[in-house]
Amino acid sequence: MLNNGAESVIERERQRFEDVEGYLKAAGEASARTRSLIVVLIVASVLTAVGVLNSLPESWMSRRFEQLRSSDSPYLIKYIGQRPLRADYDKQWQEMFIRDRARYDAYQQAKLARAGGAGYVSCKTTPCDPSPEGWFTSAPNWSWYVQRADEEYRKDAELYDRRYHAFLEGTSSALVDNRFFVHVPFFGMTFDVNDLGILAGVGLVSVMLLLWFSCGTELENLRVSFTETQKLKCLAEFYRLAAMRQVLTIPPLPGREIRWFEIWLAKPVYFIPLAVYLWLFIEDLNTNWIGRQLDTLRMKILVGCELLSLAAIIALAIQTFIRSRKIDTTWSYWWPRYIAEQFERTAAGEWLRLANDQLQRRSLQPAELVDILPRQATVYSYADQNKTHTYKSKDGVQLVVDLAADSAILETIRPGSQPETSPPSKPL
């Protein structure tokens, strides 16, 4: 059985990790909430853009309708076929008349040959000679063929006109339905496209306001969690686990290469609503004369509300972007402290290399590094005359920070050999 001292140590460790788990859960929920609001904001922006796009006079639906109004349009022919031409039917039945007349003449010649007994050719071997019981009892009548051509043309032309009018009517209904009305998914609501500016402004401002509060909460939770877990000596565990849950933010981690475009790639998402709403506002100004013809007072109210919404979206987009950058800065601030705590625990040279890398990247000053690295006698020594701080790992890596020269030198010391020295960092 464990004694009371061991039990109290285990209990303290369990309490520490429960506290870390609580901070990790709070920070993770804040981050997930921000991502969810960003998704909602993108969906709302896309739906607004679709409404604006469908209302444009130069929209695809308008261009399609223009093509359908021309009967010889290749676009129309692709969907309902070529319009029947009377000349084609006349030509077809004229060819049939010529063929039947030739067969009738051949039949008459064969009939005369059979009657005279000379020059008779068997009808079984003569394709142009039908049997005597055939319908060639009289010469083909040209007027009958003309009548059949007219009847067949009228029938096909009527069927084509029905298809054309049905297709044009359906396209016209779709044009009116999509150009003058906006359909809200999931809710089944429909409203006039002229009200899109007011309703989209209220929706986008509301979502961006929630996103602004969410980013502020995420930033506060992150700062508090880092500070408290550092006091609990669990900063490394919290940092590593919280970094693994990030999506839009890319915190530094050992072995992770972060390129500049990856950091900034997700930042324009905060300005997507601004771009969409600015497009909407410009289009409403360009078509302001239409709104004045319909209702002058409502058009003035619409433009005024859009101006207020646009100003609010600009302010919220900038402030949300600033808070997102503060979140990135917070991770950058605690990254070297994560390195320092890991070196204090393990005394491994890997962490001294990472610390030196921060100095080389100019993301950390030598004096700041000295403040956060441990002061254990086994890994640390100090020369007062030139303000030189030396840190040595258990696997032979040594970092010498010279505050007087504002530089640092990283060395790899191997038994029985000269130390391998990296170039000193340039003064910052």
Side-chain angles (χ1 to χ4, degrees):
M1 296 182 61
L2 299 175
N3 54 34
N4 293 335
E7 290 179 354
S8 62
V9 170
I10 294 175
E11 181 62 24
R12 285 196 302 269
E13 290 296 322
R14 185 184 63 82
Q15 185 63 42
R16 285 176 59 224
F17 284 104
E18 286 182 356
D19 293 340
V20 171
E21 184 179 2
Y23 290 120
L24 184 63
K25 182 178 180 181
E29 289 178 352
S31 179
R33 184 167 54 247
T34 300
R35 291 195 299 271
S36 299
L37 287 172
I38 288 176
V39 172
V40 173
L41 187 63
I42 292 176
V43 172
S45 301
V46 171
L47 293 178
T48 303
V50 170
V52 178
L53 191 62
N54 288 337
S55 66
L56 295 178
E58 301 82 8
S59 64
W60 284 108
M61 185 63 71
S62 300
R63 299 299 185 189
R64 184 178 291 110
F65 188 73
E66 291 178 2
Q67 290 292 324
L68 295 179
R69 293 174 63 183
S70 177
S71 60
D72 59 346
S73 168
Y75 182 80
L76 178 64
I77 295 174
K78 177 182 177 182
Y79 286 96
I80 64 174
Q82 180 73 46
R83 181 177 181 82
L85 299 176
R86 178 59 187 268
D88 295 337
Y89 290 84
D90 291 341
K91 180 180 179 181
Q92 177 185 358
W93 283 95
Q94 183 181 8
E95 292 175 352
M96 293 175 63
F97 170 76
I98 294 173
R99 183 195 63 191
D100 292 344
R101 181 69 190 187
R103 295 177 65 186
Y104 174 78
D105 293 341
Y107 169 71
Q108 293 298 327
Q109 293 176 5
K111 184 177 179 181
L112 291 174
R114 287 195 297 270
Y120 172 73
V121 181
S122 174
C123 65
K124 294 183 179 181
T125 60
T126 305
C128 64
D129 185 11
S131 68
E133 293 78 18
W135 59 276
F136 288 108
T137 57
S138 61
N141 186 359
W142 167 245
S143 62
W144 181 85
Y145 288 87
V146 173
Q147 182 181 0
R148 291 298 303 273
D150 183 69
E151 291 176 355
E152 187 171 342
Y153 167 73
R154 290 179 180 275
K155 181 184 68 174
D156 291 347
E158 183 180 358
L159 292 175
Y160 176 85
D161 290 339
R162 290 180 180 178
R163 292 198 307 270
Y164 174 73
H165 286 101
F167 198 75
L168 189 63
E169 182 179 358
T171 305
S172 301
S173 301
L175 176 63
V176 173
D177 192 46
N178 288 281
R179 185 170 180 178
F180 299 134
F181 299 96
V182 177
H183 303 269
V184 183
F186 312 117
F187 300 101
M189 296 186 300
T190 303
F191 59 89
D192 194 281
V193 71
N194 290 333
D195 295 327
L196 180 62
I198 296 179
L199 298 178
V202 172
L204 292 176
V205 169
S206 301
V207 178
M208 291 196 68
L209 189 62
L210 291 175
L211 180 61
W212 179 64
F213 282 118
S214 180
C215 286
T217 304
E218 181 182 357
L219 179 60
E220 292 175 359
N221 288 356
L222 200 61
R223 288 174 174 173
V224 171
S225 298
F226 277 133
T227 302
E228 295 302 320
T229 53
Q230 186 183 38
K231 295 178 181 178
L232 296 172
K233 298 297 182 180
C234 294
L235 172 63
E237 288 81 0
F238 173 80
Y239 183 98
R240 184 167 54 253
L241 294 174
M244 294 169 62
R245 300 187 178 192
Q246 303 302 307
V247 177
L248 299 179
T249 304
I250 308 177
L253 280 173
R256 172 183 285 179
E257 295 184 5
I258 304 176
R259 291 174 287 272
W260 66 270
F261 72 88
E262 294 177 338
I263 298 176
W264 294 95
L265 189 61
K267 302 307 176 186
V269 70
Y270 303 106
F271 297 96
I272 291 178
L274 174 59
V276 172
Y277 201 79
L278 182 61
W279 180 29
L280 168 63
F281 181 69
I282 293 174
E283 290 298 327
D284 283 350
L285 290 181
N286 292 335
T287 57
N288 186 41
W289 60 274
I290 300 177
R292 290 199 304 269
Q293 290 181 355
L294 299 176
D295 194 326
T296 303
L297 179 60
R298 291 187 64 177
M299 193 62 196
K300 291 181 179 179
I301 295 175
L302 173 66
V303 173
C305 293
E306 288 183 357
L307 277 173
L308 294 176
S309 298
L310 183 61
I313 291 175
I314 292 174
L316 289 172
I318 294 174
Q319 291 299 319
T320 307
F321 171 78
I322 292 174
R323 286 190 170 180
S324 71
R325 287 298 300 149
K326 288 182 178 179
I327 292 174
D328 295 339
T329 304
T330 301
W331 283 101
S332 300
Y333 174 82
W334 287 97
W335 164 236
R337 285 155 179 79
Y338 167 79
I339 295 173
E341 183 171 300
Q342 289 288 68
F343 175 67
E344 184 177 3
R345 288 184 180 183
T346 63
E350 169 193 6
W351 307 108
L352 289 181
R353 293 189 181 94
L354 289 174
N356 182 66
D357 182 66
Q358 294 298 301
L359 295 175
Q360 298 294 335
R361 293 175 181 269
R362 308 294 182 86
S363 59
L364 190 66
Q365 299 295 328
E368 296 175 341
L369 181 61
V370 169
D371 290 339
I372 61 177
L373 283 175
R375 293 291 193 273
Q376 300 176 11
T378 55
V379 299
Y380 170 73
S381 61
Y382 170 62
D384 188 34
Q385 61 274 16
N386 54 5
K387 297 184 179 180
T388 301
H389 300 258
T390 302
Y391 304 89
K392 184 181 300 184
S393 69
K394 62 183 180 181
D395 51 355
V397 177
Q398 179 174 284
L399 178 64
V400 181
V401 181
D402 189 350
L403 297 182
D406 200 21
S407 63
I409 299 176
L410 183 69
E411 301 175 331
T412 302
I413 304 174
R414 298 177 179 175
S417 63
Q418 296 294 327
E420 299 177 3
T421 305
S422 64
S425 61
K426 297 179 180 179
L428 303 178

